[in-house]
Amino acid sequence: MMKQGKRVPGLKWVIAAFVLAGCRGAGEEVPSSTEARLSLKEGQVLGPACSGEQNACPEGLQCASFNLGSGPELRCVQSPQVCDLFKCSSGQCVVMESYPLQIRCSGS
């Protein structure tokens, strides 16, 4: 005689974990085609990677956070001229005064 409706302990939790994993908001990482995109101007070079902690960059440079389409990056940049390195698909380059600096395009 076979038992029907046998319960598997924890199966609901496994299913819930898979469902929630699919709801992480992956769309937040990749801007839609209507959003302004930040890119590096031709011929411009970024400084070394930084950790986001105070004094993580050589003298004269500040740590900045930006996304060039492949995910967030932290790099050392010259603070007053930071927008000279980047261009936006629309809008203007803006520097959000935080630490680390946040480089974005206006309207995104």
Side-chain angles (χ1 to χ4, degrees):
M1 183 165 164
M2 290 178 90
K3 255 188 170 178
Q4 288 186 343
K6 185 175 178 182
R7 298 188 76 167
V8 178
L11 184 60
K12 287 181 183 178
W13 290 108
V14 172
I15 293 171
F18 280 112
V19 169
L20 291 175
C23 298
R24 285 189 292 179
E28 295 172 10
E29 294 176 11
V30 179
S32 68
S33 59
T34 58
E35 268 188 51
R37 289 180 167 238
L38 188 67
S39 59
L40 193 62
K41 288 181 180 176
E42 191 172 326
Q44 296 296 331
V45 179
L46 296 170
C50 53
S51 63
E53 296 179 16
Q54 295 284 350
N55 303 322
C57 294
E59 189 174 331
L61 300 178
Q62 279 194 310
C63 191
S65 169
F66 51 88
N67 187 340
L68 298 177
S70 60
E73 288 186 55
L74 286 169
R75 294 289 194 101
C76 297
V77 296
Q78 286 187 322
S79 157
Q81 297 86 15
V82 70
C83 278
D84 292 343
L85 298 171
F86 299 100
K87 64 181 177 181
C88 293
S89 61
S90 65
Q92 292 182 294
C93 174
V94 293
V95 179
M96 299 160 89
E97 296 292 331
S98 61
Y99 196 88
L101 297 173
Q102 295 180 45
I103 315 303
R104 305 281 186 268
C105 292
S106 61
S108 65

